[in-house]
Amino acid sequence: MSSTSKALLHRVAEAGRAAVAFTLDGQPARALAGDTVLTAVLTQCGQLRRNEFSGTPRAGFCMMGACQDCWILTADGARLRACSTFIEAGMALLTGGEPA
């Protein structure tokens, strides 16, 4: 198991909301209705994306849409700001996985 597969965030409360199915790096995943993409991804794995220059894992920084560090790619190549975009059923998200 890679270090990126270990969840960075762990939900400790508020589990009663409806489940939302999406895919993360081609694998089925679930979040809760109302979660941001950032929360949905980081409750599944340890990174949001990889730095485009160094390849190091990134997991967001300011968590309020000001720093530009939370961009994530969708399977169709679109970029989303993960901290201010809500998860939607059927989203297909890519973290970049392990460095090449």
Side-chain angles (χ1 to χ4, degrees):
M1 177 182 283
S2 72
S3 62
T4 57
S5 63
K6 187 175 182 182
L8 187 63
L9 300 178
H10 301 278
R11 196 175 303 277
V12 295
E14 195 185 13
R17 292 180 279 143
V20 176
F22 68 103
T23 61
L24 184 59
D25 296 328
Q27 300 299 312
R30 290 184 116 35
L32 296 180
D35 282 353
T36 63
V37 168
L38 182 73
T39 299
V41 170
L42 295 181
T43 55
Q44 304 294 313
C45 68
Q47 73 179 42
L48 186 62
R49 66 179 186 89
R50 289 207 164 265
N51 180 282
E52 35 302 290
F53 303 106
S54 67
T56 57
R58 303 297 298 162
F61 182 71
C62 74
M63 309 302 181
M64 63 181 198
C67 74
Q68 307 290 317
D69 198 43
C70 68
W71 292 106
I72 189 169
L73 287 176
T74 64
D76 65 4
R79 286 181 5 147
L80 300 176
R81 183 173 271 167
C83 71
S84 58
T85 302
F86 291 103
I87 194 72
E88 295 178 9
M91 279 185 162
L93 305 170
L94 303 172
T95 67
E98 294 296 320

